Amino acid sequence: MSEKASNSASILIAEDDESNRKVTSAILKHLGYRADAVSNGREALLALKRQHYDIILMNLRMPEMDGLEATRLIRELCPPSVQPKIIALTAFILPNSREICLEAGMNDFIPKPVKMNDLAKILSKHIRILKRQTAFMRSHAEALKTLDSLPKRGKLILPFKQDRYLKN
């Protein structure tokens, strides 16, 4: 499968600087992605209420609501099954910037200026993770359906065994 053929992730760019939004959008388009863009964290939250995004490219320093606060709220408000991957994009680099972003709930970190190869690698990594998570959730749902279809006696035995093994 070609790289461009597999780029169906929904992406949101949260960036206050218009030229940075345009550059990031152009890089994504060149890589075969389509992305929406907003200019601050508050708008990112509103965009998530309108539609699901797989990945958010989040600037840290923005007016109204910065990327760290927006990330914390997204992690708090979004159900676990629809949590987007949040990747920090920032020129504001301190020795512990990566750790600060991860502690806030971000999944990764890219310093600005953004390089196409770096962005391609990180997006590819997180899309692979999203695909695995989706496959796991589907198989888990199928397993629960199978469990529900077991005779009543089988349902009682299975939880008992799980409890016994979990205590050890």
Side-chain angles (χ1 to χ4, degrees):
M1 180 184 295
S2 76
E3 184 69 23
K4 287 191 178 190
S6 66
N7 296 344
S8 60
S10 56
I11 300 174
L12 177 66
I13 302 165
E15 168 66 64
D16 62 319
D17 184 84
E18 185 177 352
S19 61
N20 286 339
R21 276 195 313 268
K22 286 180 180 180
V23 168
T24 305
S25 293
I27 290 171
L28 291 171
K29 185 175 182 180
H30 182 77
L31 292 172
Y33 297 99
R34 190 193 71 70
D36 296 329
V38 295
S39 60
N40 62 57
R42 190 171 316 285
E43 289 178 9
L45 289 168
L46 292 172
L48 276 172
K49 285 183 180 180
R50 289 189 300 269
Q51 81 171 65
H52 170 74
Y53 289 96
D54 297 310
I55 297 172
I56 301 175
L57 301 175
M58 183 82 74
N59 186 15
L60 294 188
R61 300 182 82 178
M62 296 181 285
E64 292 188 47
M65 182 184 293
D66 68 28
L68 295 173
E69 183 180 355
T71 297
R72 288 184 195 103
L73 285 169
I74 289 167
R75 295 300 181 226
E76 183 182 315
L77 300 173
C78 286
S81 61
V82 294
Q83 286 280 331
K85 298 296 180 190
I86 302 176
I87 301 168
L89 290 179
T90 186
F92 184 65
I93 310 257
L94 296 173
N96 61 343
S97 293
R98 181 178 190 79
E99 290 75 25
I100 290 169
C101 292
L102 296 177
E103 285 174 13
M106 294 183 173
N107 300 96
D108 226 320
F109 182 90
I110 302 176
K112 289 179 186 175
V114 177
K115 296 178 183 148
M116 188 178 332
N117 289 339
D118 294 341
L119 185 56
K121 285 178 189 174
I122 285 183
L123 289 173
S124 178
K125 171 181 128 179
H126 286 287
I127 288 169
R128 281 193 311 274
I129 292 168
L130 285 166
K131 286 180 181 178
R132 281 189 229 127
Q133 287 173 335
T134 301
F136 173 79
M137 295 295 278
R138 283 187 186 132
S139 66
H140 182 70
E142 289 172 20
L144 288 176
K145 284 181 190 174
T146 302
L147 182 60
D148 287 341
S149 70
L150 290 174
K152 188 171 187 155
R153 190 174 63 174
K155 288 182 189 178
L156 294 175
I157 292 170
L158 188 59
F160 174 76
K161 285 182 179 178
Q162 286 176 341
D163 289 344
R164 192 177 89 208
Y165 291 119
L166 289 174
K167 289 179 184 176
N168 293 335

